[in-house]
Amino acid sequence: MRVIDAWKEVYLAGTEWDQFSDVDRYPWDFGHLDDAINEGILKDGKIFLFGTTEPQLVQTKEHPSGTVIPIPVIIIVSSKLPPPSTVSIKSVQRVEEEILPMSKMKMGWYPLVPPGVDPIRAAKSQRLYVLKCEQRRAGLKNLKIDRLKQYEYVLPYIFFPEKQEEEVPDTVINMMVDLVDGGKPLVFEYDYELDDIDEFVAEKLKEEDLDGDRYEAQLRDEIKKQVKATKLKQKAEHEAMNKEIENMSAEEKDSLRTLKAYKFYPQNEEPNVQEFKNTFINRYYLHAEEVF
């Protein structure tokens, strides 16, 4: 059961809808990915494919000075158990990340059955699965803006217990404080481990040319309030993480511990994107074992 052009079956998560036509402008060559699946390092065991795009300024014959191209990138996950059927939605504009079942985004892991192969026969020895999205582009005009944006920021999600346990909480808080009759809001970063609150407040009031007698107590109280809220949130997240780890079976933990991810870039001579290769996948899967 030989696979050809497997990458074309994969949904490129996190790609803006109007950029898919830019991806389609080029005859991307992922023959090395097919070779890895058919007869290379990924010819045995179950594997799961998902994709994304990495916009880069690429020099081409048509555009010698460079043009921005959303480069398609395919990730192959080799693991004993299927990766989570879960996605995260997080952008710079979103304060909180949102973890959702793939089904909420009309996405899921689907068996990859090569053309001409009987699906029933293939199911008996199925080992290839791809991330697909059933949201039709023709239906985009009926979606609200917020819903449309979710697809642009969606990331395949995974939780590695060992890596989570090593993570140190971020002590820097991005704050915005509205002072009564103080004009525009104050926007600043505050590190609750390193910054001394009295020194920080005094410096900030001087920097903003604000009356200390009038605003000192208000600014100090607001900083303390936001620090307290942040610490409570971090505590709740830590407890939720511990609970998730406790609920995992030994088999699930072993599958996550031994999971390997490989990253494939197109191998075209034109446009040539070899200089843009890197190991980073996303903030959950982190880095690939190898890049091809």
Side-chain angles (χ1 to χ4, degrees):
M1 190 169 68
R2 189 170 181 82
V3 173
I4 300 174
D5 286 336
W7 83 275
K8 292 183 178 180
E9 302 297 321
V10 180
Y11 175 60
L12 303 176
T15 301
E16 295 182 19
W17 288 105
D18 59 0
Q19 288 189 352
F20 279 96
S21 58
D22 293 332
V23 175
D24 295 339
R25 286 176 55 203
Y26 301 95
W28 299 109
D29 180 1
F30 280 95
H32 56 321
L33 183 147
D34 294 336
D35 290 341
I37 294 173
N38 291 319
E39 56 206 27
I41 61 171
L42 298 167
K43 64 183 178 61
D44 299 313
K46 289 188 176 182
I47 56 175
F48 302 80
L49 286 69
F50 68 86
T52 187
T53 50
E54 297 178 358
Q56 297 286 359
L57 183 65
V58 183
Q59 292 180 329
T60 65
K61 292 178 181 178
E62 186 181 357
H63 301 280
S65 59
T67 183
V68 176
I69 298 176
I71 303 168
V73 177
I74 304 299
I75 311 301
I76 295 189
V77 177
S78 174
S79 64
K80 297 174 183 177
L81 297 177
S85 294
T86 314
V87 293
S88 165
I89 299 171
K90 179 75 169 73
S91 69
V92 176
Q93 293 83 0
R94 284 174 170 261
V95 177
E96 303 290 338
E97 69 178 356
E98 189 176 5
I99 308 298
L100 297 172
M102 286 183 177
S103 57
K104 291 284 187 181
M105 301 296 293
K106 296 186 177 180
M107 295 166 60
W109 298 111
Y110 289 82
L112 175 59
V113 180
V117 176
D118 179 17
I120 297 177
R121 185 174 68 85
K124 295 179 181 179
S125 58
Q126 186 64 47
R127 71 178 194 89
L128 307 179
Y129 298 84
V130 296
L131 181 65
K132 284 182 174 287
C133 179
E134 297 300 311
Q135 173 61 53
R136 297 173 59 192
R137 295 189 205 179
L140 296 178
K141 61 180 180 293
N142 299 320
L143 297 181
K144 293 182 179 179
I145 295 296
D146 288 347
R147 176 64 170 170
L148 198 60
K149 288 294 182 183
Q150 284 185 314
Y151 286 97
E152 297 179 5
Y153 300 121
V154 69
L155 295 173
Y157 173 83
I158 197 165
F159 179 89
F160 293 106
E162 293 176 356
K163 294 175 183 176
Q164 294 293 331
E165 289 169 349
E166 295 169 0
E167 196 170 287
V168 178
D170 188 0
T171 60
V172 177
I173 307 172
N174 293 308
M175 294 191 177
M176 184 171 72
V177 177
D178 280 307
L179 298 175
V180 176
D181 299 325
K184 65 180 182 179
L186 301 183
V187 179
F188 54 88
E189 287 186 347
Y190 181 81
D191 189 322
Y192 63 74
E193 286 289 346
L194 299 180
D195 289 326
D196 177 86
I197 191 167
D198 293 328
E199 291 179 1
F200 185 91
V201 168
E203 290 177 6
K204 178 55 64 175
L205 292 175
K206 182 179 179 181
E207 179 185 313
E208 299 291 338
D209 195 23
L210 293 169
D211 183 356
D213 292 337
R214 185 174 185 183
Y215 295 112
E216 181 180 354
Q218 186 183 349
L219 179 56
R220 182 187 290 105
D221 290 346
E222 185 60 32
I223 290 175
K224 287 182 177 179
K225 178 182 174 182
Q226 293 194 31
V227 168
K228 182 179 180 180
T230 298
K231 287 183 175 180
L232 287 172
K233 177 174 174 288
Q234 289 175 339
K235 181 182 178 182
E237 290 174 345
H238 185 70
E239 290 173 349
M241 179 192 74
N242 286 339
K243 186 175 181 180
E244 187 169 351
I245 293 173
E246 289 172 6
N247 290 337
M248 284 183 179
S249 66
E251 186 183 19
E252 288 173 321
K253 290 180 181 179
D254 180 62
S255 179
L256 290 168
R257 183 179 56 80
T258 58
L259 179 148
K260 295 186 185 304
Y262 304 90
K263 189 175 183 182
F264 286 78
Y265 284 83
Q267 57 182 359
N268 298 56
E269 291 186 7
E270 175 69 13
N272 190 317
V273 300
Q274 300 306 301
E275 66 176 294
F276 303 109
K277 285 182 175 181
N278 67 87
T279 62
F280 187 71
I281 298 173
N282 66 31
R283 62 197 300 256
Y284 305 107
Y285 279 85
L286 298 178
H287 292 271
E289 188 85 9
E290 288 186 65
V291 179
F292 299 92

